[in-house]
Amino acid sequence: RKKGISVQMAARELRFEWFERIRIENNFGFVVVAHNLDDKIETILINLTRGTGLTGLSGMKPLSNRIIRPLLFATRKKIEVYCSDNHITFREDKSNAETRYTRNKIRHLVIPVLQEINPSVKESVNETAERLSGIDEILSFYIDDIRSQISVKRGAATVFNIEKLKTHQKSKALIFELFSPYGVAGSVTGDLLRLMTGSTGKQILSKTHRILRNRDELIVTPLVTRNREYYEINDVEDFLAVPGIKSAGIKNAGPGYKVPREKWNASIDSDKIRFPLIIRGWETGDFFYPLGMKLKKKLSDYFIDRKYSLIKKENTLILESEGKIVWIIGERLDERFKVTESTSRVLNIESEDLLT
């Protein structure tokens, strides 16, 4: 229910997650499964009815990631005959005979009608899928080249330059292929084109990603964001368990100590903080005293001034001590916790660019 998928699909995901755990735990190279030609044809027809690109029409691959499918050349009937001739017993899921599932409807109701039109329909569809697979490989190189010219990676986000993207907007097929890795279905392509001419803050959601218009960019990010993360830091070593924190340590300030100028490198007066520290997502009403300023400022106002996108705001994490914000991680320190001439010890934390 949470993922909006069928029981069969959920069970499939759980199975493959389990297989992958076994593979990793035992240092195996691959997981080998018994998908056959019938499974491949059914998948192609399912994808066709739901709307798909060339990849969906190419069907299952003999090798994808760590999954090997060595039986795609053989129909289910041929496998059953082989088992019978060689006295190999097998079990069949009793739900295979039901027609309430989409795949089973295709298997028991649609394919028999297609076989009346063409008895060799499975072989014919497979030959077409093989040709489309070759074309898909050629197209993938072309699409990847265009994508590299009009977009950049920023952490978990892919950012498209709208002006460059608009040079391709007359081709809906090209726009679809550019965004299909982000869960965009054919029916959403029109919404995507409208988003390119929309206003800042407009967005569309696919099953896996969010695409946000922010000024002259389209920012594509996975739907899962970090704004609900919460970490309790009881000592300096705990920082290293937080994703995005590269290093943390306490140093003596000394006369020759120089405060790093990079925003992702925070130098904090160690005597002004109290463990446990908290790292969390920002909340409405949060405020801090920006480094170099004497007046407090709401984080929401600070984000507006800094022209933060919606996604950037959602991904913002803060470091907190006794309810006071110490550092907007990767962005700006609080004036109250800065290193001064009287500082004896410095907590130095280096982060990745968490706000991309």
Side-chain angles (χ1 to χ4, degrees):
R1 284 194 297 269
K2 287 180 180 178
K3 291 193 173 186
I5 58 178
S6 67
V7 172
Q8 279 196 327
M9 185 59 68
R12 178 186 180 280
E13 289 186 8
L14 290 172
R15 277 200 307 277
F16 276 93
E17 287 174 6
W18 183 58
F19 292 152
E20 180 63 8
R21 286 202 302 272
I22 293 175
R23 187 192 70 76
I24 293 172
E25 289 169 3
N26 293 275
N27 198 30
F28 295 149
F30 300 92
V31 174
V32 184
V33 297
H35 288 137
N36 55 55
L37 182 58
D38 288 54
D39 296 314
K40 180 178 179 179
I41 302 306
E42 292 159 8
T43 299
I44 291 169
L45 293 176
I46 290 171
N47 290 342
L48 182 62
T49 58
R50 291 174 175 170
T52 186
L54 281 177
T55 301
L57 293 177
S58 300
M60 298 174 174
K61 307 294 183 187
L63 172 63
S64 58
N65 298 322
R66 292 285 181 171
I67 305 295
I68 297 177
R69 299 179 176 88
L71 295 177
L72 289 181
F73 71 94
T75 63
R76 185 178 291 109
K77 184 63 177 178
K78 287 182 179 179
I79 295 172
E80 290 174 352
V81 170
Y82 180 88
C83 289
S84 177
D85 291 345
N86 292 275
H87 309 291
I88 299 172
T89 57
F90 62 89
R91 292 183 62 183
E92 184 172 5
D93 188 336
K94 65 180 182 180
S95 69
N96 284 349
E98 299 176 2
T99 57
R100 59 181 175 139
Y101 301 112
T102 299
R103 181 174 293 275
N104 290 2
K105 287 179 181 177
I106 297 286
R107 178 182 303 164
H108 297 301
L109 303 178
V110 176
I111 291 179
V113 174
L114 295 177
Q115 285 177 314
E116 290 178 8
I117 300 171
N118 177 9
S120 303
V121 67
K122 294 178 182 178
E123 289 76 12
S124 298
V125 172
N126 188 46
E127 289 174 5
T128 300
E130 293 296 325
R131 288 194 294 271
L132 292 175
S133 180
I135 295 172
D136 187 35
E137 289 180 12
I138 297 171
L139 181 63
S140 292
F141 287 116
Y142 174 65
I143 294 297
D144 289 344
D145 182 55
I146 292 178
R147 189 182 290 112
S148 68
Q149 295 176 34
I150 64 176
S151 69
V152 294
K153 288 288 292 181
R154 294 181 190 161
T158 302
V159 182
F160 286 84
N161 181 296
I162 290 179
E163 287 305 311
K164 292 180 179 179
L165 188 58
K166 282 182 177 179
T167 62
H168 304 286
Q169 65 181 347
K170 290 183 179 180
S171 174
K172 284 189 176 182
L174 180 56
I175 296 296
F176 169 77
E177 294 295 339
L178 282 169
F179 286 88
S180 61
Y182 313 116
V184 171
S187 58
V188 183
T189 306
D191 296 333
L192 190 57
L193 291 169
R194 286 187 286 275
L195 187 64
M196 288 163 56
T197 57
S199 56
T200 289
K202 296 290 186 181
Q203 64 180 4
I204 58 174
L205 302 178
S206 72
K207 288 185 177 181
T208 58
H209 287 74
R210 170 169 39 194
I211 305 173
L212 172 74
R213 169 73 188 254
N214 185 60
R215 296 178 176 81
D216 58 351
E217 298 175 332
L218 288 186
I219 304 174
V220 184
T221 55
L223 286 180
V224 178
T225 59
R226 289 193 293 243
N227 61 343
R228 293 185 181 179
E229 292 193 20
Y230 183 95
Y231 300 92
E232 184 173 298
I233 310 297
N234 292 292
D235 56 51
V236 175
E237 290 185 355
D238 287 348
F239 279 108
L240 301 181
V242 180
I245 300 297
K246 296 172 66 175
S247 65
I250 293 180
K251 305 176 182 178
N252 292 325
Y257 182 80
K258 291 185 179 181
V259 176
R261 300 179 65 86
E262 301 90 354
K263 63 181 181 178
W264 58 83
N265 202 326
S267 287
I268 301 163
D269 189 323
S270 182
D271 295 325
K272 294 179 181 177
I273 59 173
R274 296 288 181 272
F275 288 95
L277 304 173
I278 300 298
I279 290 179
R280 61 173 175 83
W282 77 283
E283 299 173 355
T284 302
D286 280 341
F287 67 88
F288 79 130
Y289 290 79
L291 184 64
M293 298 176 61
K294 294 183 178 180
L295 299 177
K296 69 180 181 181
K297 194 176 189 71
K298 286 186 177 180
L299 262 62
S300 56
D301 293 334
Y302 179 81
F303 296 151
I304 292 172
D305 293 344
R306 299 286 292 173
K307 296 182 170 59
Y308 273 34
S309 69
L310 175 62
I311 293 170
K312 198 171 183 179
K313 285 192 289 186
E314 288 184 348
N315 284 339
T316 295
L317 297 175
I318 63 171
L319 175 65
E320 183 181 79
S321 174
E322 297 183 308
K324 299 175 183 177
I325 293 178
V326 177
W327 182 35
I328 302 176
I329 296 179
E331 173 62 21
R332 194 159 179 174
L333 192 70
D334 188 292
E335 172 74 12
R336 295 168 291 180
F337 297 90
K338 71 178 182 180
V339 172
T340 65
E341 292 181 356
S342 61
T343 300
S344 59
R345 297 189 309 154
V346 177
L347 169 61
N348 184 264
I349 311 170
E350 184 180 359
S351 76
E352 296 173 355
D353 193 351
L354 296 179
L355 302 181
T356 52

